[in-house]
Amino acid sequence: MQAPKHGAAPLVIEETAGRKAYCQCGLSANLPYCDGSHAREGTGLAPKVVDVPSPGRKAVCQCHRSASLPWCDGTHKTPPS
Ligand code: FES
């Protein structure tokens, strides 16, 4: 399995309600959403699929260390262990 490509900060978006697939490999050309790059690149990773119940501002984790994936929990502010 390939390590995900990390971002330094979350992507803050105005999200709509519905089923979403958030990229976990960092290779998507359509971040924060999966565009299938994880499979084309053979990363062994998969997107995080969630049902967003209502529209609103969301901070989507890009460091991939959040305990609440796909959402940011502030972990990107701490050094990796
Ligand atoms: S493109 Fe990154 S998880 Fe699908």
Side-chain angles (χ1 to χ4, degrees):
M1 181 183 303
Q2 195 174 75
K5 184 177 169 190
H6 300 284
L11 286 176
V12 178
I13 59 171
E14 292 296 330
E15 187 58 284
T16 58
R19 181 160 286 198
K20 314 291 177 171
Y22 295 103
C23 176
Q24 297 301 299
C25 73
L27 299 175
S28 173
N30 190 33
L31 289 173
Y33 306 106
C34 173
D35 71 354
S37 293
H38 67 277
R40 285 191 296 277
E41 299 294 329
T43 65
L45 299 169
K48 184 79 173 171
V49 179
V50 298
D51 290 313
V52 178
S54 57
R57 183 169 286 210
K58 303 286 186 191
V60 184
C61 175
Q62 298 300 296
C63 76
H64 308 291
R65 293 186 293 126
S66 172
S68 302
L69 288 172
W71 315 125
C72 174
D73 70 355
T75 301
H76 64 279
K77 297 175 185 172
T78 64
S81 55

